Amino acid sequence: MPVSRATSLRVRNVLDNWVPAGLRDNRLFMTPLLRLAVGEHARDFMTFKAKAFDMTPDEFADVYRRVAGSEVQGETDLNAACTEAILREVTGRRVLEVGCGRGWLAARMAGVASEVTASDIVMGEATRQIEGVTFEVASVEALPYDDDEFDVVVCTHTLEHVQDLPRALAELRRVARDALVVVVPRERPYRYSFNLHLHFFPYPWSWQAVAGVVAGARLEDLDDWFYVEPQR
């Protein structure tokens, strides 16, 4: 059953900080919980981390097509604080959103940005019908755009899913002219989780280990990590 982002953050806090790691990594403990949360797709969630890095791009995308609609999260992964911060960054600018999901954020950015393009590896027909946004199927690891094509590139709750994280980050930086905006969950790593995450960022340095230390960049704790990186 989908829940709000505020509720999912409270649940994450309990799981991350109060449930022992030995239980979170225990198949017998987690299997019934995942069956309750995601139903028939529990096996996909249980085995994803073990298989994901050996999958072809098509196999990887097929997992997301198969589990579509089973997510515990509601209409968006974004909380209100991150949403408001993003809208401030994109106002009046030409924007690309990478990993747009069902288009919730893209639709809101279309109300303040000068132009919005949004992409994801899997896209439903309902998403394509959102007005004011150009939607395209594309992988963050191989974006079909020119260098510096967009004023701002926005990527929220996506990098924790990718197979090649350094390559994905390099692609985001390549197509951003002025700024890159990233949101990733402040979540601890476990063998079994209620999502298809492959990368985890429980601490500031967890993100810095990936992004490096960039002059002028800022990282804020808004219950999730909110990161803005200027492009030179």
Side-chain angles (χ1 to χ4, degrees):
M1 178 183 297
V3 298
S4 70
R5 185 58 180 169
T7 299
S8 71
L9 287 172
R10 287 193 290 269
V11 172
R12 187 183 73 190
N13 179 64
V14 171
L15 291 173
D16 279 4
N17 297 305
W18 298 102
V19 178
L23 287 178
R24 285 294 304 272
D25 282 347
N26 185 288
R27 187 179 186 89
L28 292 177
F29 177 77
M30 291 299 295
T31 296
L33 296 180
L34 278 162
R35 284 177 178 166
L36 180 64
V38 299
E40 63 181 329
H41 299 293
R43 183 172 177 81
D44 286 308
F45 284 76
M46 295 288 290
T47 61
F48 185 68
K49 292 180 181 63
K51 297 179 178 180
F53 293 105
D54 292 323
M55 292 178 181
T56 66
D58 286 342
E59 290 170 338
F60 193 82
D62 280 343
V63 173
Y64 282 88
R65 291 190 189 95
R66 189 162 62 246
V67 305
S70 68
E71 303 93 335
V72 175
Q73 188 62 49
E75 60 181 351
T76 179
D77 287 334
L78 285 165
N79 62 41
C82 287
T83 301
E84 292 169 6
I86 292 166
L87 295 180
R88 287 194 295 270
E89 294 291 334
V90 305
T91 297
R93 307 171 90 176
R94 189 166 185 248
V95 180
L96 169 67
E97 183 188 6
V98 179
C100 65
R102 286 171 282 184
W104 185 90
L105 177 61
R108 280 147 185 81
M109 292 193 296
V112 298
S114 64
E115 181 180 323
V116 177
T117 301
S119 66
D120 212 325
I121 59 170
V122 174
M123 191 171 297
E125 191 57 36
T127 300
R128 295 177 186 271
Q129 302 306 313
I130 295 174
E131 295 184 0
V133 182
T134 300
F135 288 99
E136 299 181 87
V137 175
S139 167
V140 62
E141 296 164 30
L143 294 172
Y145 309 112
D146 293 334
D147 295 357
D148 303 326
E149 186 168 341
F150 301 92
D151 299 332
V152 182
V153 173
V154 176
C155 185
T156 74
H157 293 283
T158 296
L159 291 180
E160 62 269 24
H161 294 269
V162 302
Q163 291 173 294
D164 190 336
L165 185 51
R167 180 176 176 182
L169 188 54
E171 278 291 273
L172 294 173
R173 287 166 166 163
R174 179 182 66 80
V175 300
R177 189 185 71 178
D178 297 331
L180 169 63
V181 178
V182 172
V183 176
V184 291
R186 196 189 63 196
E187 180 182 18
R188 297 184 189 279
Y190 294 102
R191 181 177 299 173
Y192 307 116
S193 55
F194 298 90
N195 50 50
L196 300 180
H197 295 177
L198 298 172
H199 309 281
F200 298 85
F201 311 97
Y203 304 110
W205 54 88
S206 306
W207 171 254
Q208 290 171 329
V210 174
V213 179
V214 179
R218 71 180 192 272
L219 180 67
E220 301 178 47
D221 182 355
L222 301 181
D223 286 325
D224 293 309
W225 296 118
F226 177 79
Y227 178 74
V228 180
E229 180 183 293
Q231 302 301 296
R232 304 301 183 190

